[in-house]
Amino acid sequence: MSTFALPQKFQNWINKRNWGLHTHQIDVLTNSDRKSQLLIAPTGSGKTLSGFLPTLIELDRVNFSGLHTVYVSPLKALAADIKRNLMIPIEEMGLNIKVEDRTGDTTAKIKRRQRIDPPQILLTTPESLALLISFPEANALFANLERIIMIRPLFLWGISIHLFLIRL
């Protein structure tokens, strides 16, 4: 297995859990500056951590305002699970990172606020994302977007998500 020098805060967190990074996680980190990556790995192999670790590291290093990463899930329940799991390293390492979801269950008040003051990480569904990109302020909202994480991307094409990707 190759090695990757994690920032000390992150290495300490992984060590505390008696974990080690898998090869695919190191590969995602090593190539995080690429325009796109495709990760295929078995269930339970740390795909969520693989997808979000570059974002967490980047957001811990710089004072980033606005939407940095969008996670698109085919199911709102999965987005909620991901949020719950993502908050563990954020809280345990004391990272100052704002994570929110945007699904059919999100209140109209929160949705309005997210259009002007988005979180750094937004977890959403294809339907909610399609609505979000239809608003006039979408170009400004997504102007500084650094990363899109998708689960089962082939499922998303039926929701015309390709229009969103084309806009970027």
Side-chain angles (χ1 to χ4, degrees):
M1 179 178 3
S2 51
T3 60
F4 180 84
L6 281 173
Q8 195 60 51
K9 180 188 296 189
F10 291 85
Q11 188 62 58
N12 291 345
W13 181 77
I14 287 172
N15 291 346
K16 183 179 174 185
R17 295 170 110 30
N18 293 316
W19 289 353
L21 291 179
H22 296 284
T23 302
H24 64 271
Q25 293 168 321
I26 295 168
D27 290 344
V28 168
L29 281 166
T30 302
N31 296 297
S32 63
D33 60 341
R34 287 190 177 180
K35 190 164 177 84
S36 64
Q37 294 188 61
L38 175 64
L39 172 62
I40 300 172
T43 300
S45 64
K47 287 187 297 293
T48 300
L49 186 59
S50 298
F52 283 106
L53 199 50
T55 293
L56 298 180
I57 291 170
E58 289 169 22
L59 291 175
D60 186 52
R61 285 184 178 158
V62 297
N63 184 13
F64 189 94
S65 179
L67 190 56
H68 181 283
T69 298
V70 172
Y71 171 88
V72 186
S73 167
L75 304 169
K76 65 183 174 183
L78 181 56
D81 286 344
I82 295 298
K83 181 180 179 185
R84 192 170 34 257
N85 291 332
L86 182 57
M87 292 310 297
I88 293 169
I90 290 172
E91 290 171 355
E92 289 182 358
M93 285 188 276
L95 305 176
N96 186 23
I97 297 174
K98 189 174 172 184
V99 179
E100 294 181 354
D101 51 4
R102 182 184 184 94
T103 67
D105 293 342
T106 307
T107 66
K109 180 179 179 180
I110 291 174
K111 287 179 180 179
R112 275 191 306 277
R113 187 208 21 90
Q114 287 174 338
R115 288 166 50 190
I116 348 175
D117 180 27
Q120 293 154 315
I121 300 174
L122 181 67
L123 312 168
T124 191
T125 59
E127 297 84 359
S128 289
L129 182 58
L131 288 172
L132 188 59
I133 64 174
S134 73
F135 292 113
E137 60 272 2
N139 285 340
L141 180 64
F142 294 104
N144 296 316
L145 187 67
E146 293 289 329
R147 188 166 285 115
I148 303 168
I149 302 171
M150 292 188 285
I151 298 297
R152 298 185 186 110
L154 294 177
F155 170 81
L156 301 176
W157 298 125
I159 313 295
S160 298
I161 259 339
H162 62 284
L163 295 175
F164 168 67
L165 297 173
I166 289 169
R167 285 182 73 157
L168 297 178

